[in-house]
């Protein structure tokens, strides 16, 4: 029996952080044993926000190395660099012809990006969900391990698949999000989500213990109140949710009790978190060194992934062109 296909990608906008790890990479790791997986560095999405072209190639490679160090195994899954498989762009154009502009303009992710980069509102940004739909549909992906922030894009993807199927005959599955426990990791700065593009919001997987300590030291804790239930949002809530994500359950209970008894020491909580986070990241950092030092191995993994992905993509594109009357 054919295994279900899984597809997910991460932008090359910086080093992977805890949000990417819990929201996406943990899901990829959980699926690679039993599904036919393709995991990508989505460089064409990366260039929709301001970026440094002279650093893009090295950023792409760092994400591939992060994937490998996190435990993605090229014997079980294929690693892809999006722009190396031209089918993504061709399929995105074809799908854009059946999808309304107004729906894209209304998406919260597009509005957020417009607010974040008011001087960099480009067509690519508007097009992002269509390209993302083509990323997954090019491989007829059924499961997509991504954070909850991507749910609106998944909805667009399903709408596009449905519309295409109804216009041209059944071709695409309707992809579903694969959910992880940490599908929304909050920002360290107190509000919003942890993101590579928001300074002060993240802890990177490559951070050493001192860096983790410093980043946590800067995280706000003054919620204006103390005692009673632990708050549901804000800096204090975020620290507690990190305790949960790192399975520091007995410490969670202790600090919860301290909070209710109005004698919580945030420096103590932050130190517990620092140690807990570093303990989980250390094996990743050690494995990372192996791949950093073996560039031939990394090159051959990238090439193998490219050849495999191009083959699958070509099959879909032959079918799509034929169904749309283009061949
Ligand atoms: P970023 O916003 O940091 O640039 P990307 O847009 O490249 O990250 O997202 C890569 C993957 O990581 C996506 O699956 C996204 O849903 C997930 N992700 C990003 N930030 C978080 C977060 N704070 N919590 C959970 N998942 C996240």
């Amino acid at each position: 029996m054919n295994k279900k296909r899984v597809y997910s990608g991460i932008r090359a906008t910086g080093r992977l952080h805890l949000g990417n790890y819990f929201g996406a990479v943990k899901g990829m790791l959980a699926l690679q044993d039993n599904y036919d997986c393709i995991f990508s560095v989505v460089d064409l999405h990366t260039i929709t926000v301001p970026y440094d072209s002279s650093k893009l190639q090295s950023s792409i490679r760092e994400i591939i190395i992060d994937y490998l160090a996190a435990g993605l195994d090229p014997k079980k899954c294929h690693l892809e660099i999006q722009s190396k498989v031209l089918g993504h762009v061709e399929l995105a154009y074809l799908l854009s012809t059946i999808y309304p502009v107004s729906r894209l303009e209304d998406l919260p992710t597009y509005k957020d990006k417009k607010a974040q980069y008011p001087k960099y509102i480009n067509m690519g940004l508007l097009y992002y969900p269509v390209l993302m739909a083509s990323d997954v549909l090019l491989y007829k992906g059924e499961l997509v391990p991504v954070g909850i922030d991507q749910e609106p894009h998944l909805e667009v993807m399903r709408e596009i698949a449905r519309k295409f199927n109804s216009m041209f005959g059944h071709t695409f599955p309707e992809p579903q999000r694969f959910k992880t426990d940490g599908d929304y990791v909050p920002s360290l700065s107190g509000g919003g989500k942890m993101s590579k593009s928001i300074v002060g919001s993240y802890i990177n997987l490559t951070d050493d213990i001192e860096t983790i300590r410093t980043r946590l030291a800067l995280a706000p804790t003054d919620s204006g109140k103390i005692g009673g239930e632990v708050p549901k949002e804000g800096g204090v809530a975020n620290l507690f949710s990190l305790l949960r994500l790192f399975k520091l359950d007995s410490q969670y209970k202790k600090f919860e009790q301290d909070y209710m008894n109005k004698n919580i020491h945030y420096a103590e909580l932050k130190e517990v978190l620092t140690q807990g986070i570093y303990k989980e990241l250390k094996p990743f950092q050690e494995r990372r060194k192996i791949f950093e030092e073996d560039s031939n191995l990394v090159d051959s993994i990238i090439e193998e992934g490219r050849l495999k992905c191009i083959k699958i993509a070509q099959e879909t594109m032959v079918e799509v062109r034929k169904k749309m009357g283009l061949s």
Side-chain angles (χ1 to χ4, degrees):
M1 206 179 79
N2 279 349
K3 289 181 185 170
K4 271 192 189 176
R5 169 101 7 93
V6 172
Y7 184 94
S8 184
I10 292 186
R11 294 182 300 153
T13 39
R15 308 305 281 268
L16 289 199
H17 55 72
L18 295 181
N20 304 135
Y21 181 57
F22 283 104
V25 178
K26 284 249 180 182
M28 298 175 183
L29 291 168
L31 293 171
Q32 69 172 348
D33 285 326
N34 298 314
Y35 292 87
D36 182 3
C37 298
I38 298 172
F39 298 129
S40 185
V41 182
V42 285
D43 50 351
L44 296 173
H45 290 288
T46 310
I47 62 174
T48 55
V49 292
Y51 75 104
D52 181 346
S53 59
S54 68
K55 297 208 177 99
L56 186 56
Q57 284 306 309
S58 69
S59 305
I60 293 168
R61 201 174 174 89
E62 295 298 346
I63 303 279
I64 294 275
I65 293 176
D66 278 342
Y67 275 163
L68 294 167
L72 293 187
D73 179 350
K75 291 195 183 69
K76 299 178 184 169
C77 63
H78 306 292
L79 298 186
E80 176 209 58
I81 297 171
Q82 183 194 27
S83 67
K84 300 285 185 277
V85 182
L86 294 177
H88 289 288
V89 181
E90 184 184 0
L91 184 59
Y93 174 76
L94 297 179
L95 297 179
S96 76
T97 65
I98 63 166
Y99 201 72
V101 175
S102 55
R103 177 80 175 86
L104 295 174
E105 282 169 334
D106 275 349
L107 284 174
T109 42
Y110 176 60
K111 289 180 180 161
D112 288 350
K113 282 282 180 290
K114 266 170 60 176
Q116 199 178 352
Y117 304 107
K119 298 211 171 96
Y120 214 85
I121 303 170
N122 57 73
M123 279 291 291
L125 217 46
L126 183 69
Y127 212 75
Y128 196 112
V130 181
L131 181 58
M132 186 169 154
S134 96
D135 294 340
V136 178
L137 299 178
L138 185 63
Y139 299 116
K140 303 197 175 180
E142 292 182 64
L143 268 181
V144 187
V146 286
I148 203 164
D149 58 322
Q150 296 300 317
E151 196 57 66
H153 293 160
L154 265 289
E155 193 49 49
V156 170
M157 210 179 276
R158 287 188 287 270
E159 282 171 22
I160 290 180
R162 271 198 295 279
K163 182 115 185 251
F164 189 97
N165 292 345
S166 75
M167 289 172 77
F168 304 111
H170 188 81
T171 310
F172 298 118
E174 291 183 27
Q176 302 296 323
R177 187 167 75 88
F178 178 76
K179 301 178 179 118
T180 58
D181 287 343
D183 63 2
Y184 182 87
V185 179
S187 161
L188 286 186
S189 59
K193 70 158 198 159
M194 186 175 283
S195 173
K196 291 188 220 92
S197 45
I198 303 172
V199 181
S201 80
Y202 55 78
I203 290 175
N204 285 332
L205 302 189
T206 45
D207 284 347
D208 59 21
I209 192 158
E210 261 322 306
T211 310
I212 297 171
R213 193 171 279 126
T214 310
R215 294 199 199 270
L216 283 173
L218 294 172
T221 48
D222 183 14
S223 66
K225 91 180 228 312
I226 194 164
E229 298 274 297
V230 171
K232 298 269 183 292
E233 52 187 42
V236 173
N238 294 352
L239 294 177
F240 273 90
S241 76
L242 285 175
L243 285 173
R244 271 250 193 282
L245 280 175
F246 283 91
K247 301 202 165 31
L248 300 164
D249 296 337
S250 58
Q251 288 93 332
Y252 184 101
K253 283 203 188 84
K254 175 205 153 357
F255 288 113
E256 186 181 37
Q257 207 57 50
D258 289 352
Y259 186 90
M260 291 195 281
N261 296 338
K262 302 185 184 178
N263 66 353
I264 187 162
H265 296 290
Y266 290 116
E268 193 192 333
L269 187 161
K270 286 180 174 181
E271 187 53 29
V272 165
L273 259 183
T274 301
Q275 300 291 342
I277 293 172
Y278 185 63
K279 193 164 162 227
E280 174 131 355
L281 298 188
K282 197 160 171 263
F284 162 86
Q285 295 177 2
E286 283 165 2
R287 273 197 305 274
R288 202 177 194 287
K289 285 200 196 95
I290 301 173
F291 294 103
E292 278 167 7
E293 283 160 15
D294 195 345
S295 87
N296 287 341
L297 175 64
V298 176
D299 285 343
S300 69
I301 290 168
I302 293 173
E303 183 58 8
E304 210 177 295
R306 188 182 73 85
L307 294 174
K308 170 78 185 174
C309 290
I310 283 182
K311 195 163 169 289
I312 308 169
Q314 273 170 349
E315 285 167 18
T316 307
M317 289 317 300
V318 167
E319 184 185 354
V320 168
R321 283 188 213 115
K322 196 160 189 305
K323 284 188 168 158
M324 292 186 79
L326 291 162
S327 68

